[in-house]
């Protein structure tokens, strides 16, 4: 069995992190990931201060600030700000940061494309070193798949599929459950950005997102096709309504090439929030042999471990260890353009067949 390289490179300098927001994702993902990586969180602030105080006690954060302004005043020049508020608060908060500051911004990059462009404008004007927390790119199974593909081991990639057939208890996400653009803007954006990170920008996008007649949410099921060529199929199928037991639930990413294939189970999304184990497997076709799938046990998972990758990549960029910032606002704005195109495709509809025979 070959040795896979799938862990993110860490920065030489572990710059002090200052977190803006103290929601569930900070508790469950950001802070555990940073602790595991040995990153130093120096301060936190939240509109409801007690939540920040509680997290500070749990994770030994030395400073709790009354406001973003107080935090900015106290933060050293080499601070990295971690912005975890809701998207409609991004622009006003970014305006409070020092010019040329380093900041990691929660996804999605806006509640709509107009907000996306406003966020991009303030980041450009203030010359912020800004990245979006599109952390799925750094999930262990994604990094392992990218390694195999870069080595040429599955040949030319021609099929990329993300499929989710499970039950999502949206009540765990009170800040987004009533969002008018729930499924694509808040969830499928993960997979749109993931596909882009492998294949680049598609030429066209086709999408249909749907309501469940028994639920109040704006959308809970989506099919999106990202059109690259007549040789590459890139498709996202999500169904958050499959509440019929675990037997036929599934959650995976699959890559197929001319010499092999890779499949990764996204365990996080099965039996949420408890989750199931991830499963990473690959098949490399050898002439004269029957195809054989190899399972590899990887350390870590999407949550919380992928959150190390987004912060580490920003720190490495700021320290000059690399010229690449994978999830920069300049890059992720293209993922948001695809989201907007998906909604336009959904609204414009398909082609009417001619039934007048």
């Amino acid at each position: 069995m070959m040795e896979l390289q799938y862990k993110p490179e860490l920065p030489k300098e572990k710059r002090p992190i200052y977190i803006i927001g103290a929601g569930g994702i900070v508790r469950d993902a950001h802070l555990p990931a940073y602790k595991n990586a040995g990153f130093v969180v120096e301060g936190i602030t939240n509109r409801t201060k007690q939540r920040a105080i509680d997290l500070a006690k749990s994770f030994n954060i030395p400073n709790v600030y009354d406001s973003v302004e107080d935090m900015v005043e106290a933060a050293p020049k080499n601070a990295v700000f971690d912005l975890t508020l809701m998207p409609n608060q991004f622009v006003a908060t970014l305006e409070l940061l020092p010019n040329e500051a380093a900041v990691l911004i929660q996804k999605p990059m806006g509640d709509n494309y107009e907000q996306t462009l406003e966020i991009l404008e303030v980041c450009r004007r203030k010359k912020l070193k800004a990245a979006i927390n599109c952390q799925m790119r750094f999930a262990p199974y994604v990094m392992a798949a990218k390694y195999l593909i870069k080595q040429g081991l599955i040949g030319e990639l021609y099929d990329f599929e993300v499929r989710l057939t499970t039950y999502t208890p949206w009540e765990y996400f009170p800040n987004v459950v009533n969002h008018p653009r729930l499924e694509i803007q808040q969830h499928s954006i993960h997979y749109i950005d993931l596909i882009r990170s492998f294949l680049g920008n598609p030429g066209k996008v086709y999408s249909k997102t749907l309501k469940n007649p028994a639920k109040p949410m704006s959308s809970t099921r989506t099919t999106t096709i990202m059109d690259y060529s007549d040789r590459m199929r890139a498709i996202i199928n999500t169904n958050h309504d499959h509440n019929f037991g675990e037997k036929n639930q599934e959650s995976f990413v699959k890559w197929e090439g001319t010499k092999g294939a890779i499949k990764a189970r996204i365990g996080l999304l099965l039996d949420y929030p408890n989750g199931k184990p991830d499963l990473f497997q690959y098949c490399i076709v050898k002439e004269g042999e029957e195809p054989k799938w190899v399972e590899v046990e990887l350390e870590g998972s999407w949550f919380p471990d992928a959150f190390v990758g987004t912060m580490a990549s920003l720190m490495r960029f700021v320290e000059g260890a690399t010229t690449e910032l994978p999830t920069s606002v300049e890059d992720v704005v293209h993922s948001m353009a695809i989201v907007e195109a998906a909604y336009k495709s959904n609204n414009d509809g398909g082609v009417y067949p001619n039934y007048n025979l």
Side-chain angles (χ1 to χ4, degrees), residues 2-14:
M2 73 181 70
E3 184 177 347
L4 302 180
Q5 297 178 17
Y6 61 91
K7 295 186 178 181
E9 290 188 69
L10 297 179
K12 295 176 183 177
E13 179 188 355
K14 306 234 175 124

Side-chain angles (χ1 to χ4, degrees), residues 219-232:
S219 54
T220 54
R221 292 163 295 135
T222 304
T223 294
T224 297
I225 297 172
M226 296 167 67
D227 187 353
Y228 288 91
S229 68
D230 59 358
R231 298 172 60 160
M232 170 61 69

Side-chain angles (χ1 to χ4, degrees), residues 186-207:
Q186 301 295 327
H187 189 85
S188 278
I189 176 59
H190 284 296
Y191 314 131
I192 288 170
D193 184 77
L194 177 65
I195 291 173
R196 272 197 63 248
S197 73
F198 280 81
L199 305 180
N201 291 337
K204 293 181 181 180
V205 180
Y206 309 88
S207 191

Side-chain angles (χ1 to χ4, degrees), residues 61-334:
I61 302 171
N63 301 295
V64 176
Y65 299 98
D66 290 329
S67 66
V68 176
E69 291 90 337
D70 289 348
M71 171 182 280
V72 168
E73 185 176 351
K77 190 174 182 180
N78 68 337
V80 177
F81 295 96
D82 191 5
L83 177 49
T84 71
L85 305 177
M86 297 304 294
N88 60 6
Q89 298 172 290
F90 288 172
V91 170
T93 307
L94 291 168
E95 292 283 12
L96 299 175
L97 302 186
N99 290 344
E100 302 184 19
V103 56
L104 183 61
I105 306 167
Q106 191 60 275
K107 53 72 48 189
M109 188 178 167
D111 279 327
N112 52 57
Y113 198 56
E114 182 180 355
Q115 276 187 14
T116 298
L117 296 180
E118 291 174 354
I119 293 163
L120 182 63
E121 187 280 327
V122 70
C123 290
R124 284 175 171 175
R125 172 167 43 81
K126 293 177 69 67
K127 298 182 180 179
L128 300 175
K129 301 173 184 71
I132 303 298
N133 206 338
C134 295
Q135 75 293 130
M136 192 180 189
R137 297 193 193 194
F138 294 94
Y141 43 78
V142 171
M143 298 280 280
K146 186 161 284 189
Y147 174 77
L148 288 172
I149 292 168
K150 281 188 174 181
Q151 300 302 309
L153 294 174
I154 70 166
E156 180 183 349
L157 187 64
Y158 65 77
D159 198 275
F160 196 144
E161 179 180 5
V162 181
R163 180 179 293 274
L164 173 65
T165 307
T166 187
Y167 176 71
T168 300
W170 291 106
E171 60 270 19
Y172 281 97
F173 309 97
N175 290 328
V176 301
V177 66
N178 296 315
H179 199 286
R181 288 180 156 196
L182 179 59
E183 209 292 316
I184 303 176
Q185 191 91 24
Q186 301 295 327
H187 189 85
S188 278
I189 176 59
H190 284 296
Y191 314 131
I192 288 170
D193 184 77
L194 177 65
I195 291 173
R196 272 197 63 248
S197 73
F198 280 81
L199 305 180
N201 291 337
K204 293 181 181 180
V205 180
Y206 309 88
S207 191
K208 186 66 178 178
T209 190
L210 303 152
K211 294 170 62 73
N212 183 315
K215 297 180 179 180
M217 283 77 82
S218 61
S219 54
T220 54
R221 292 163 295 135
T222 304
T223 294
T224 297
I225 297 172
M226 296 167 67
D227 187 353
Y228 288 91
S229 68
D230 59 358
R231 298 172 60 160
M232 170 61 69
R233 185 185 78 130
I235 188 166
I236 302 163
N237 275 307
T238 62
N239 177 3
H240 298 266
D241 295 324
H242 191 85
N243 193 19
F244 308 106
E246 295 182 8
K247 182 178 180 180
N248 289 305
Q249 291 187 352
E250 53 188 349
S251 175
F252 65 79
V253 187
K254 180 167 61 66
W255 301 259
E256 294 186 8
T258 53
K259 297 180 181 179
I262 305 165
K263 188 175 183 181
R265 181 168 66 205
I266 310 171
L268 171 72
L269 302 179
L270 297 170
D271 189 26
Y272 192 90
N274 300 311
K276 298 287 185 180
D278 294 331
L279 176 62
F280 183 83
Q281 46 189 331
Y282 66 88
C283 173
I284 297 174
V285 177
K286 297 180 180 179
E287 190 173 349
E289 297 182 12
E290 287 292 317
K292 181 181 178 182
W293 284 88
V294 178
E295 294 184 8
V296 181
E297 186 173 344
L298 303 176
E299 291 183 20
S301 188
W302 179 1
F303 278 45
D305 303 274
F307 287 73
V308 173
T310 41
M311 179 57 78
S313 66
L314 176 58
M315 287 187 178
R316 294 186 73 247
F317 176 78
V318 172
E319 74 184 11
T322 178
T323 58
E324 295 183 6
L325 184 55
T327 65
S328 70
V329 291
E330 300 288 347
D331 179 89
V332 177
V333 68
H334 296 290

